[in-house]
Amino acid sequence: ITLQVGSFANYVGAHFWNIQDEALGLGGTEDGRDYGDYLDADVLYHQSSGPHQEIIYTPRLVALDLCGSGGGVSASGAA
């Protein structure tokens, strides 16, 4: 589980998770390896399947911050 506590940690963490999301979806290679090979998705993400059997990756993350500073995240937790 990844812990992010405080405004600055959540700011940096948001960029970290965006990079991880991009690495999961990239089809490129470097040194003969897929970019996704550098990311151990089983450690950072919980894998499940959606209603149409698509694979869904959910970050193993606990983010804590002051009330009202969630930015683009709604009260339900969805972006």
Side-chain angles (χ1 to χ4, degrees):
I1 294 178
T2 304
L3 297 174
Q4 292 174 198
V5 180
S7 300
F8 185 72
N10 289 331
Y11 174 79
V12 172
H15 294 283
F16 170 80
W17 288 107
N18 286 337
I19 291 169
Q20 303 311 305
D21 287 342
E22 288 296 321
L24 279 175
L26 288 176
T29 60
E30 182 175 307
D31 298 329
R33 296 178 63 189
D34 289 332
Y35 289 128
D37 291 345
Y38 293 101
L39 175 67
D40 190 354
D42 293 333
V43 172
L44 293 174
Y45 292 91
H46 170 73
Q47 181 179 335
S48 60
S49 54
H52 303 291
Q53 303 306 315
E54 71 274 13
I55 297 175
I56 298 173
Y57 293 100
T58 306
R60 299 177 192 264
L61 167 70
V62 175
L64 303 172
D65 209 334
L66 298 174
C67 182
S69 61
V73 178
S74 69
S76 68

